[in-house]
Amino acid sequence: MGFLDINNVTKSYGAVEVLHKVDIEVQEGEFLVLVGPSGCGKSTLLNMIAGLEGITSGEIAIRDRVVNGVHPSKRNIAMVFQSYALYPNMTVGQNITFGLEMHGVPKADRDRAMADVAKLLQIENLLDRKPGQLSGGQRQRVAMGRALVRNPDVFLFDEPLSNLDAKLRVDMRTEIKKLHQKLGTTIVYVTHDQIEAMTLSTRIAVMYDGYVQQLGTPKEIYDNPANLFVASFMGSPSMNVLPARLRDLNGEIHAEITGAEDQSLHLRIENAPESYRAYLDAEVMLGIRPEAITDPEGADRNARNIQSLHNTVSVTEPAGADTFVSTTLSGKDCIARMRADADVHPGQAFDFAVNMDKAVLFDPKTEERIG
Amino acid sequence: MAIASADTAIRSSSFSRVLIYLVLLLFALFYLLPFGIMLVNSLKPLEEITGGNMVSLPREWTIAPWLSAWSTAQIGVEPTGLRPYFINSIVMAVPAVALSTIVGALNGYVLTKWQFRGATLIFGLLLFSCFIPFQIVLIPMARILGILDIAGTTTGLILVHFVYGIGFTTLYFRNYYAAFPTELVRAAQIDGAGFFQIFWRIMLPSSGPIIAVSCIWQFTNIWNDFLFGASFASGGSAPMTVALNNLVNSSTGVREYNVHFAGAIMAAAPTLLVYIVAGRYFVRGLMAGSVKG
């Protein structure tokens, strides 16, 4: 039993099932991020936890208390909405204490709680203003204040940063993370931004098409994606997925791909699991993260199996900190992430260093991970 | 070439501007003319009017016709003036406007934020009530007022106008609240506010423009209504419009046109006042929801 239990929960609208048997157990103090493209069901799931949408089947329990059918205000949750949903006719102070007032907390206690939260979020000087007079970042703080003041069991965030400009989004992201570390609250956070998911969470549930595709720590999700969807959704630029054939050369398994001039290239796979043998001479999808393809000097020194790959560079894109280098492999554009000062030039041949420790294989038909 | 054409553009624009204002001024004068004649003649002694000089200013200014219309003129059989009927109209219009606006707001709130099966159908039916001509409901309404035993009273008239107004006010509020963010209602739900608390504390305080629209529309319609007033209120409980008709049609002695004019202005004054005070909200509220931002 976790702190927040989602047990085999489904959601249907009429005959259409939009969430299929979701099963997640959240521990106290965890920061769970639900991430996925729009329409994957993540917001629906969050609204079901909040009690704003009904549960078709299954159970949601907070602190071992089943809350199916319990009114949102009785679940001891707080929610931060995408549009902040601040009451336009009330001052910031009234916005923050409205929930306490509705729960019958005496005025003196309300004022004390408001003062604490205002201090925590540094919005003391805004308390008498109306939401219309605040900037986006300030509204975001007030919305969080309104959630914090109730001291709920679970915080729910519905894409809270998507209305902010890029710089403010990064600042607020750090701030939310700090707040979580400081208060140790349990948070369920919905976003479509995989970077937010990676940076904030202690665990991520990647959702697609009403299914939880994978549930795990950011590192597990990133390094060991369960299927092709998770592999390509998480990470920016996304993982290079190349059609390849597994070959047995001298008793060792190699992935065979083709280079820019249709030449065959072989990448040795060390410690290949037995399951790879079933795919010998068959087509597989080889997944390599851009940062696992570098120039030889920039390669990871802890990697045990670095394979050299001689191929033509098609495009270089200097991005300041890194240089992204494109090359054609197996007929597809493949992106390598290199040091800013790597000596690469478009049109020239280059020795790419591929860290095969990090390579993963997928079945092309089921799109599931092999191994 | 470019400069020359720019020059003529400026000249023609200032010329057309003068022309536009001239035409607007003419139209304004044209529309104000009847009111001006009413006002001028209500301040003349009767002899000046019967002497055939309706357009010219009074030679002898007097407010006697106004006093007479207000408190002593013959209305039907009683020489009471329009005052009691003016009060009747206020007693009728204020509660009817308030009730229909509040119920319209509640309807709009439920139809947009507490969607239920058949909500669209119910809204359609309510909307349909806006298109039913007054004459069709006269007989059924008379029957209902009879059953409720409030036929011929101001209370009865309040009920009639209240019920008849719900269609319009619901239409206004539903369209206004359709553009009102649902997330606010959800946030209030999580905060623990109930159905009516959300309505009073969140929805209504943000409904200023549409409340103004609803009140102006309802007040104008109810105040100016003649048919329901003539049909469902008799004698002492008649509204201002019916009393004005009685004043003009009272056939004892000479026709006091100056008193009639004064009475007509009195009957029109409250709606005029409402438009002058709240007119800008009216335009703003009607536009709200039609254009984003």
Side-chain angles (χ1 to χ4, degrees):
Chain A
M1 272 284 176
F3 193 74
L4 165 67
D5 274 318
I6 302 166
N7 273 330
N8 278 321
V9 162
T10 62
K11 175 76 185 174
S12 307
Y13 293 108
V16 188
E17 194 170 89
V18 295
L19 270 184
H20 320 277
K21 298 233 167 195
V22 174
D23 216 358
I24 303 174
E25 196 174 288
V26 185
Q27 301 304 324
E28 182 160 15
E30 244 194 301
F31 198 131
L32 175 75
V33 172
L34 306 175
V35 68
S38 49
C40 71
K42 57 191 191 298
S43 286
T44 307
L45 181 58
L46 192 78
N47 285 336
M48 287 160 78
I49 299 171
L52 298 170
E53 301 221 25
I55 299 164
T56 308
S57 74
E59 251 178 26
I60 293 179
I62 298 171
R63 286 198 148 171
D64 298 338
R65 177 173 70 116
V66 176
V67 292
N68 293 27
V70 174
H71 189 267
S73 65
K74 305 268 185 337
R75 297 187 176 199
N76 204 18
I77 46 134
M79 189 153 169
V80 176
F81 291 88
Q82 183 174 6
S83 66
Y84 316 136
L86 300 176
Y87 311 127
N89 52 308
M90 300 183 199
T91 64
V92 167
Q94 288 166 332
N95 260 286
I96 290 175
T97 55
F98 184 72
L100 295 178
E101 191 190 332
M102 290 296 118
H103 281 85
V105 177
K107 177 123 181 32
D109 295 350
R110 293 203 304 254
D111 288 347
R112 205 171 318 119
M114 180 179 77
D116 289 348
V117 165
K119 192 161 169 239
L120 181 71
L121 294 169
Q122 294 162 357
I123 50 173
E124 288 138 309
N125 53 334
L126 305 177
L127 290 175
D128 294 325
R129 296 217 206 144
K130 292 275 176 71
Q133 300 164 303
L134 304 180
S135 68
Q138 289 169 330
R139 284 182 210 184
Q140 173 69 57
R141 276 164 199 277
V142 176
M144 291 207 297
R146 193 171 63 180
L148 281 169
V149 79
R150 303 238 331 260
N151 201 14
D153 290 335
V154 181
F155 283 92
L156 306 173
F157 285 83
D158 188 7
E159 307 211 15
L161 303 182
S162 56
N163 281 352
L164 300 175
D165 62 66
K167 187 181 177 322
L168 204 53
R169 195 179 308 165
V170 176
D171 293 349
M172 288 308 291
R173 199 171 73 199
T174 316
E175 207 142 323
I176 292 177
K177 181 131 198 180
K178 273 186 197 158
L179 216 55
H180 176 246
Q181 282 174 359
K182 194 163 163 187
L183 303 172
T185 46
T186 311
I187 295 177
V188 181
Y189 186 109
V190 161
T191 180
H192 61 263
D193 181 347
Q194 45 89 21
I195 296 180
E196 263 174 44
M198 292 293 293
T199 50
L200 285 172
S201 66
T202 58
R203 269 202 304 165
I204 298 177
V206 183
M207 298 183 65
Y208 180 61
D209 214 14
Y211 290 95
V212 173
Q213 303 285 333
Q214 191 174 0
L215 177 66
T217 63
K219 193 169 167 51
E220 281 165 15
I221 299 267
Y222 194 75
D223 289 343
N224 287 307
N227 55 37
L228 257 182
F229 174 79
V230 176
S232 51
F233 187 77
M234 303 301 287
S236 172
S238 62
M239 182 184 266
N240 299 303
V241 178
L242 311 169
R245 264 173 209 290
L246 289 188
R247 302 283 189 207
D248 186 343
L249 303 176
N250 310 321
E252 278 187 302
I253 292 183
H254 287 65
E256 181 186 88
I257 52 178
T258 54
E261 280 91 36
D262 273 340
Q263 78 275 30
S264 284
L265 299 165
H266 289 96
L267 296 165
R268 185 162 49 83
I269 299 171
E270 267 183 16
N271 302 323
E274 275 306 302
S275 52
Y276 281 20
R277 297 222 160 250
Y279 288 86
L280 273 180
D281 299 322
E283 187 163 314
V284 294
M285 305 303 275
L286 172 67
I288 310 171
R289 294 269 177 212
E291 62 271 22
I293 309 175
T294 56
D295 56 312
E297 291 80 30
D300 184 355
R301 297 191 192 290
N302 298 322
R304 286 163 297 144
N305 179 18
I306 296 200
Q307 299 279 302
S308 184
L309 195 74
H310 191 76
N311 204 24
T312 313
V313 172
S314 52
V315 180
T316 63
E317 296 166 282
D322 307 295
T323 298
F324 295 106
V325 180
S326 296
T327 182
T328 306
L329 288 172
S330 292
K332 292 205 168 177
D333 255 349
C334 178
I335 295 178
R337 183 183 219 140
M338 300 197 184
R339 296 171 298 137
D341 48 0
D343 190 26
V344 267
H345 304 283
Q348 293 183 0
F350 187 77
D351 280 319
F352 292 91
V354 181
N355 180 357
M356 287 302 284
D357 291 352
K358 299 275 188 184
V360 286
L361 292 183
F362 300 97
D363 185 311
K365 285 191 204 71
T366 64
E367 304 201 338
E368 293 297 315
R369 178 78 179 278
I370 304 169
Chain B
M1 187 63 204
I3 296 164
S5 71
D7 251 16
T8 45
I10 291 165
R11 229 182 292 134
S12 79
S13 98
S14 75
F15 171 72
S16 65
R17 193 153 285 264
V18 169
L19 194 74
I20 286 168
Y21 277 106
L22 213 68
V23 169
L24 287 176
L25 203 70
L26 272 172
F27 273 114
L29 279 175
F30 181 71
Y31 281 112
L32 277 172
L33 202 61
F35 182 71
I37 288 180
M38 279 171 70
L39 197 64
V40 163
N41 286 301
S42 72
L43 295 166
K44 277 178 195 171
L46 187 60
E47 306 82 71
E48 281 188 40
I49 300 174
T50 47
N53 232 340
M54 277 193 79
V55 185
S56 68
L57 289 175
R59 258 170 279 138
E60 186 193 331
W61 295 82
T62 171
I63 58 161
W66 283 77
L67 296 176
S68 163
W70 183 245
S71 53
T72 60
Q74 190 81 18
I75 311 291
V77 289
E78 304 279 343
T80 55
L82 288 170
R83 187 174 54 173
Y85 304 99
F86 189 87
I87 294 168
N88 277 350
S89 266
I90 295 215
V91 168
M92 165 190 77
V94 171
V97 168
L99 281 172
S100 56
T101 300
I102 289 173
V103 170
L106 264 175
N107 281 350
Y109 169 52
V110 172
L111 286 170
T112 52
K113 303 303 174 208
W114 299 81
Q115 288 275 354
F116 52 94
R117 227 170 231 287
T120 320
L121 181 71
I122 288 185
F123 177 59
L125 292 175
L126 276 166
L127 200 59
F128 188 65
S129 79
C130 299
F131 304 113
I132 300 175
F134 278 23
Q135 292 82 344
I136 289 178
V137 299
L138 280 181
I139 293 168
M141 191 61 93
R143 178 92 185 97
I144 287 171
L145 291 179
I147 291 170
L148 295 174
D149 201 21
I150 46 174
T153 65
T154 305
T155 317
L157 265 189
I158 293 173
L159 180 75
V160 173
H161 286 300
F162 160 48
V163 171
Y164 208 85
I166 290 175
F168 289 97
T169 55
T170 302
L171 169 68
Y172 288 142
F173 279 96
R174 196 212 79 111
N175 289 351
Y176 189 76
Y177 287 153
F180 192 89
T182 306
E183 281 196 347
L184 279 175
V185 176
R186 295 186 149 197
Q189 274 181 288
I190 290 178
D191 270 343
F195 178 87
F196 283 106
Q197 276 169 323
I198 294 174
F199 182 61
W200 283 114
R201 300 285 300 272
I202 313 290
M203 306 294 287
L204 271 192
S206 307
S207 312
I210 205 69
I211 290 174
V213 168
S214 173
C215 284
I216 291 175
W217 175 266
Q218 281 300 96
F219 187 82
T220 313
N221 273 354
I222 295 172
W223 186 275
N224 288 340
D225 164 72
F226 181 77
L227 186 65
F228 284 158
S231 312
F232 300 133
S234 53
S237 59
M240 187 71 170
T241 44
V242 175
L244 180 67
N245 181 57
N246 291 345
L247 169 74
V248 174
N249 286 337
S250 290
S251 51
T252 51
V254 280
R255 287 186 167 261
E256 297 179 294
Y257 290 113
N258 52 354
V259 175
H260 298 173
F261 281 131
I265 295 173
M266 278 178 203
T271 45
L272 263 178
L273 193 74
V274 165
Y275 268 102
I276 290 166
V277 170
R280 58 208 172 97
Y281 292 105
F282 189 66
V283 178
R284 215 183 290 162
L286 280 183
M287 302 304 283
S290 57
V291 185
K292 266 216 152 181

